[in-house]
Amino acid sequence: MKNLTKAFAVIALTTASFASFAATEVGMAPTGAQSIGTVSAATNGNNLSALQGKLAAKAAEQGASSYRIVSAGGDNHLFGTAEIYK
């Protein structure tokens, strides 16, 4: 019985984690989508993937279905901005 309860807990947590990263990156504004604002993020170091991940997480937090990175820059401290769409 304990194993069954643990299995259901794992399934529920796995499903919840996938839902939290629902925003997908797009190359241009999606047709018919409404812009709902922008999000910004910064990272230490020069890992562009980490910056992209932070922007995706912030877009998902705001309820966006997709986002488009409109600016990114920096040397040892990266920063970026993304427009978010619903």
Side-chain angles (χ1 to χ4, degrees):
M1 185 68 174
K2 287 184 181 181
N3 288 338
L4 186 59
T5 304
K6 287 180 184 178
F8 282 126
V10 169
I11 291 170
L13 290 174
T14 304
T15 304
S17 68
F18 284 124
S20 67
F21 293 107
T24 56
E25 185 177 5
V26 295
M28 50 193 287
T31 304
Q34 178 182 359
S35 174
I36 57 172
T38 60
V39 292
S40 298
T43 63
N44 291 327
N46 57 1
N47 186 345
L48 195 55
S49 294
L51 177 62
Q52 184 179 14
K54 283 189 174 187
L55 288 169
K58 284 193 170 190
E61 286 175 10
Q62 297 294 321
S65 59
S66 58
Y67 68 98
R68 179 176 61 98
I69 298 175
V70 293
S71 69
D75 289 324
N76 292 326
H77 180 78
L78 295 179
F79 54 89
T81 305
E83 187 169 8
I84 57 177
Y85 302 95
K86 192 155 192 127

